């Protein structure tokens, strides 16, 4: 039905139906891949344009994510709903898309066996193997005894559709163990591991044949024939100093551009389009003031890190968003062994990736905070209401749980009695310990000048000497230069707004002045589950399976976003209530289960036994994971989803104190 609807969805009054709707997708990172898969599920025909030589977006390795960086959320959250890491670990390692291919080759498709090959990857990741001599990584199975005999371990035996998740018990990461650098992986994947996961996902679901790598989008404008179609001009990507998709290539790209017509357009190129530099800062490796060392944006940190530039050096890190904290911690760790002066502006709570739980057990931070009780979503805060709220209780809850970072250094102190300022957080495991050791020195203020050969001056008249390098970790700006002024105005686009550059109804659709355009993953702090639901909603609307929001609804949604943009003080994450946002989008898509959803959709008989019904019940008081949204409804994968939900639920049940599920603490 979806395919049939898609075939006639583009036809205007008086026109003849034609083939499937053609959808152009800008970007082949997680959002672009999710959009392509959702398009195929709805019978649409996607083409993914990616300026880099391979898929993965920022995870490819030539952008702001460095080689030793772990995801700040666990594999439970950093995965797609029907491709959990237990499936990924069983895929053959023959799916690399790197190397400059102009288009993806034939893909294996959804019929590929997820457990058929003896060459499938081992459950222990690269990062874990490097630490094989330590107890935490050498015996991961000891942490999973709570799974033995559980509903998860028996699932593969009772249901043929679920055999792809066989081994979930023995291959799982060291859940419940004490945190250490090596025990972060594979539960918190390294950059290369997440990139490999994305490649496997694209291979498994047949997405590569729809991708056009090393291809820049030069312009995108709507045709004037009344159909609302898009004319998308592309050109071979030039040498790109930023390494990001969705950007215009070389200045003369338009002379070699080719234009194709698409019925719909998806922007999935992400927030990290261009580095944001503070005013008056030098934007090159060398300073005009004679500063001898490199001055670089965090965008280029991995490039310099690979060269060994910072080995045993004294480095100033400017900025205390997530990357500022993590780069500072990475610099002082082995083998770099640098000394860091860290310039911070807004004190933040520093959360570890593992949260203390019952006894000595620990759980991933996302497994603790992202349950379906809004009061526990303290990690990022809820999407701000229109009326003032008292932020002190949330800060006090964070302080009780993690301590005040001011205990490590007074510059980092968070005033937990301040009711006006929202709680700000970052995630870093080694930062506070390094501050206590003295290898990281937090300072406050603003830089006014760099002096020859290695001095940095501050506005209060003080200075720091013997600085060998400066890393500016002040975030990114969004660039959509392929759109003309009219489209940009219809999007409420403010590229300098690092928090909310776009005004979109439900973070997906623009107002009624711009038709047949959707955005996926284009909000601050995107999660895999939300990215996927955004894509499924947009494609379901375009196929005709789901209703398009009315013009009045679109306008109201854009007005709500404008109100969020106008908030003062501004929240760290304008759409920070991940659980609420995901569940709301799932409702729009029609994939949020209810207590009776399993029987109502016939999945009970499909899967056998009561495993899906059990998973449906378990998901309401256990950590929210993407698999929640594949249990039922259109394009469901109930067996795979149920296995993942129960795997995570059993972890929480054994290790998560009930106090995390109450509202009394906040």
């Amino acid at each position: 039905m979806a395919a049939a609807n898609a075939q006639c969805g583009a036809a205007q009054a008086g026109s003849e139906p034609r083939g499937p709707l053609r959808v152009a997708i800008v970007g082949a990172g997680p959002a672009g891949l999710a959009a392509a898969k959702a398009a195929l599920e709805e019978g649409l025909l996607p083409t993914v344009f990616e300026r880099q030589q391979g898929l993965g977006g920022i995870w490819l390795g030539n952008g702001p994510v460095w080689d030793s960086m772990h995801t700040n959320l666990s594999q439970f959250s950093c995965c797609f709903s029907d491709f959990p890491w237990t499936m990924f670990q069983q895929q053959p390692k023959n799916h690399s898309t790197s190397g400059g291919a102009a288009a993806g080759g034939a893909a294996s498709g959804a019929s590929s066996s997820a457990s058929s090959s003896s060459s499938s990857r081992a459950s222990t990741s690269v990062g874990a193997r490097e630490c094989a001599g330590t107890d935490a990584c050498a015996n991961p199975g000891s942490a999973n005894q709570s799974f033995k005999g559980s509903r998860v371990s028996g699932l593969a035996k009772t249901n043929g559709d679920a055999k792809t998740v066989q081994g979930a018990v023995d291959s799982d990461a060291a859940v419940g163990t004490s945190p250490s650098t090596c025990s972060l992986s594979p539960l918190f994947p390294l950059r290369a591991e997440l990139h490999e996961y994305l490649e496997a996902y694209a291979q498994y679901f047949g997405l590569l044949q729809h991708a056009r790598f090393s291809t820049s989008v030069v312009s995108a404008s709507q045709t004037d024939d009344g159909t609302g179609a898009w004319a998308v001009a592309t050109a071979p990507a030039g040498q790109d100093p930023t390494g990001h998709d969705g950007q215009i290539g070389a200045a003369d790209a338009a002379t070699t551009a080719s234009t194709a017509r698409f019925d719909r357009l998806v922007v999935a190129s992400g927030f990290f389009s261009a580095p944001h530099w503070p005013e008056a800062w030098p934007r090159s490796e060398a300073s005009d003031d004679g500063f001898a060392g490199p001055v670089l944006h965090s965008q280029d940190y991995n490039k310099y890190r690979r060269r060994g530039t910072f080995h045993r050096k004294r480095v100033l890190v400017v900025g205390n968003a997530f990357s500022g904290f993590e780069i500072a911690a990475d610099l002082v760790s082995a083998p770099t062994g640098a000394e860091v002066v860290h310039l911070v502006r807004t004190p933040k709570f520093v959360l570890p990736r593992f949260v203390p739980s019952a006894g000595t057990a620990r759980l991933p931070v996302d497994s603790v905070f992202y349950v379906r009780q809004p009061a526990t979503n303290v990690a990022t805060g809820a999407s701000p209401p229109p009326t003032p709220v008292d932020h002190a209780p949330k800060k006090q809850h964070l302080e009780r749980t993690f301590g005040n970072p001011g205990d490590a250094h007074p510059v980092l102190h968070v005033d937990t009695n301040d009711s006006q300022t929202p709680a700000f957080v970052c995630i870093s495991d080694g930062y506070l310990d390094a501050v206590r050791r003295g290898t990281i020195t937090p300072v406050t203020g603003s830089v006014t000048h760099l002096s020859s050969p290695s001095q940095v001056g501050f506005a209060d008249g003080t200075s720091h000497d013997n600085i060998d390098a400066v890393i500016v970790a002040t975030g990114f700006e969004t660039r959509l230069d392929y759109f003309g002024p009219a489209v940009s105005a219809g999007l409420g686009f403010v590229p300098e707004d690092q928090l909310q550059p776009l005004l979109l109804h439900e973070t997906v659709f623009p107002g009624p002045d711009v038709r047949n355009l959707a955005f996926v993953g284009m909000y601050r702090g995107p999660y895999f589950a939300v990215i996927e639901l955004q894509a499924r909603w947009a494609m379901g609307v375009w196929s005709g399976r789901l209703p398009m929001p009315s013009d009045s609804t679109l306008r109201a949604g854009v007005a709500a976003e404008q109100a969020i943009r106008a908030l003062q003080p501004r929240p760290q994450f304008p759409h920070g209530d991940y659980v609420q946002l995901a569940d709301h989008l799932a409702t729009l898509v029609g994939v949020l289960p209810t207590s009776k959803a399993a029987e109502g959709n016939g999945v009970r008989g499909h899967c056998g036994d009561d495993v899906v019904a059990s998973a449906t019940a378990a998901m309401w008081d256990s950590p929210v994971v993407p698999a929640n949204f594949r249990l039922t409804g259109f394009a469901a994968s109930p067996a795979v989803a149920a296995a993942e939900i129960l795997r995570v639920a059993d972890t929480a049940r054994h290790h998560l104190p009930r106090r995390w599920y109450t509202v009394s603490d906040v």
Side-chain angles (χ1 to χ4, degrees):
M1 177 65 72
N5 288 337
Q7 288 178 342
C8 63
Q12 304 296 309
S15 64
E16 292 296 324
R18 49 189 180 84
L21 286 177
R22 300 183 65 211
V23 180
I25 300 170
V26 184
L33 297 177
K37 178 174 179 289
L40 293 172
E41 288 173 341
E42 296 284 355
L44 310 180
L45 183 59
T47 300
V48 182
F49 297 108
E50 170 57 62
R51 71 169 296 104
Q52 299 189 98
Q53 295 182 343
L55 61 80
I58 63 173
W59 302 100
L60 184 57
N62 57 352
V65 179
W66 54 96
D67 295 333
S68 62
M69 180 179 144
H70 291 266
T71 59
N72 53 37
L73 298 176
S74 75
Q75 62 169 246
F76 300 142
S77 297
C78 291
C79 67
F80 292 113
S81 59
D82 49 1
F83 198 69
W85 283 76
T86 49
M87 285 180 61
F88 159 67
Q89 290 162 351
Q90 299 174 52
Q91 302 304 303
K93 294 185 66 173
N94 61 352
H95 48 257
S96 178
T97 64
S98 302
S108 60
S111 61
S112 301
S113 172
S115 58
S116 61
S117 174
S118 61
S119 64
S120 61
R121 66 178 45 74
S123 61
T124 306
S125 71
V126 174
R129 288 197 298 270
E130 291 173 349
C131 300
T134 66
D135 292 341
C137 293
N139 188 24
S142 63
N144 295 304
Q145 296 305 312
S146 61
F147 289 115
K148 302 299 183 183
S150 71
R151 292 164 294 175
V152 179
S153 62
L155 183 58
K157 299 176 183 178
T158 61
N159 174 21
D161 291 334
K163 67 181 180 180
T164 55
V165 298
Q166 189 169 9
V169 174
D170 296 325
S171 68
D172 194 18
V175 178
T177 62
S178 298
S180 67
T181 300
C182 61
S183 66
L184 290 178
S185 183
L187 193 57
F188 290 87
L190 287 162
R191 178 205 64 77
E193 293 166 344
L194 187 55
H195 178 249
E196 192 176 354
Y197 168 89
L198 294 172
E199 287 190 317
Y201 175 81
Q203 181 81 8
Y204 186 81
F205 289 107
L207 307 181
L208 299 180
Q209 61 190 321
H210 300 281
R212 303 294 179 262
F213 298 116
S214 300
T215 303
S216 295
V217 173
V218 177
S219 68
S221 59
Q222 289 197 285
T223 61
D224 56 4
D225 58 4
T227 65
W230 289 88
V232 179
T234 60
Q239 184 64 36
D240 178 17
T242 66
H244 284 273
D245 54 323
Q247 300 280 318
I248 293 180
D252 61 350
T255 62
T256 59
S258 61
T259 302
R261 177 190 175 100
F262 292 89
D263 303 292
R264 304 291 187 268
L265 176 62
V266 174
V267 175
S269 50
F271 258 38
F272 295 165
S273 298
H276 171 80
W277 288 83
E279 291 296 326
W281 269 80
R283 303 189 180 202
S284 61
E285 296 183 6
S287 167
D288 294 336
D289 297 322
F291 185 80
V295 179
L296 61 136
H297 193 274
S298 58
Q299 157 72 34
D300 296 317
Y301 174 63
N302 203 33
K303 178 174 67 176
Y304 284 84
R305 185 182 184 277
R306 288 171 175 173
R307 298 173 184 169
T309 301
F310 310 113
H311 185 68
R312 304 297 179 186
K313 301 296 185 180
R314 193 163 189 254
V315 182
L316 172 67
V317 177
V318 179
N320 65 322
F322 279 61
S323 60
F325 280 97
E326 284 283 72
I327 286 174
D330 185 67
L331 283 166
V332 302
S333 64
T336 304
E339 179 186 348
V340 170
V341 177
H342 185 201
L343 178 58
V344 302
R345 176 174 294 180
T346 303
K348 292 179 171 66
F349 287 97
V350 183
L351 279 56
R353 287 174 171 82
F354 286 96
V355 177
S357 182
T360 61
R362 296 172 184 266
L363 278 175
V365 63
D366 45 314
S367 295
V368 171
F369 287 122
Y370 296 135
V371 295
R372 284 184 174 85
Q373 294 193 21
T376 62
N377 297 339
V378 297
T380 59
S383 296
T387 56
V389 296
D390 183 358
H391 297 286
K394 185 175 294 184
K395 294 178 181 178
Q396 292 161 7
H397 178 66
L398 286 166
E399 184 177 44
R400 287 193 299 270
T401 306
F402 302 104
N404 197 307
D407 296 340
H409 195 284
V411 167
L412 302 175
H413 178 74
V414 178
D415 182 1
T416 57
N417 293 317
D418 175 15
S419 62
Q420 303 300 313
T421 306
F424 293 94
V425 301
C426 72
I427 295 177
S428 180
D429 294 290
Y431 181 86
L432 291 179
D433 284 342
V435 170
R436 294 186 183 98
R437 292 194 307 267
T439 53
I440 295 177
T441 302
V443 298
T444 189
S446 58
V447 173
T448 57
H449 64 277
L450 307 178
S451 303
S452 175
S454 58
Q455 185 182 78
V456 179
F458 287 75
D460 62 0
T462 62
S463 63
H464 285 266
D465 298 322
N466 303 316
I467 299 295
D468 299 303
V470 177
I471 301 173
V472 180
T474 50
F476 294 82
E477 297 176 3
T478 302
R479 289 288 182 263
L480 301 173
D481 298 331
Y482 40 80
F483 287 137
V487 172
S488 295
L491 302 175
F493 181 47
V494 179
E496 298 79 16
D497 189 339
Q498 294 180 270
L499 297 177
Q500 196 181 5
L502 297 158
L503 299 178
L504 304 172
H505 172 62
E506 307 290 8
T507 70
V508 176
F509 291 113
D513 293 337
V514 184
R515 302 285 185 179
N516 299 334
L517 174 65
F519 291 77
V520 175
M522 296 292 289
Y523 74 101
R524 183 172 171 82
Y527 288 74
F528 274 68
V530 171
I531 286 171
E532 202 174 7
L533 289 165
Q534 290 174 320
R536 295 173 73 184
W537 186 33
M539 300 306 164
V541 166
W542 289 345
S543 74
R545 185 179 60 83
L546 298 173
M548 178 69 191
S550 67
D551 287 359
S552 60
T553 298
L554 292 173
R555 291 191 183 96
V558 170
E561 294 295 301
Q562 180 66 65
I564 293 175
R565 180 186 274 178
L567 283 174
Q568 294 295 333
R570 301 189 72 179
Q572 185 179 11
F573 298 96
H575 305 93
D577 191 339
Y578 160 55
V579 175
Q580 187 277 334
L581 179 59
D583 278 357
H584 179 62
L585 288 171
T587 300
L588 295 173
V589 179
V591 293
L592 182 65
T594 66
S595 60
K596 298 181 179 180
E599 295 185 42
N601 287 274
V603 294
R604 178 186 177 111
H606 174 71
C607 288
D609 298 330
D610 296 325
V611 67
V612 172
S614 297
T616 303
M619 62 174 274
W620 293 105
D621 65 349
S622 60
V624 174
V625 293
N628 288 178
F629 312 113
R630 287 285 176 180
L631 268 178
T632 187
F634 181 79
S637 296
V640 172
E644 180 72 356
I645 291 168
L646 294 177
R647 180 169 78 107
V648 178
D650 282 354
T651 306
R653 185 173 297 108
H654 283 85
H655 296 296
L656 192 60
R658 294 305 300 177
R659 66 184 178 88
W660 290 111
Y661 294 130
T662 67
V663 299
S664 60
D665 288 337
V666 295

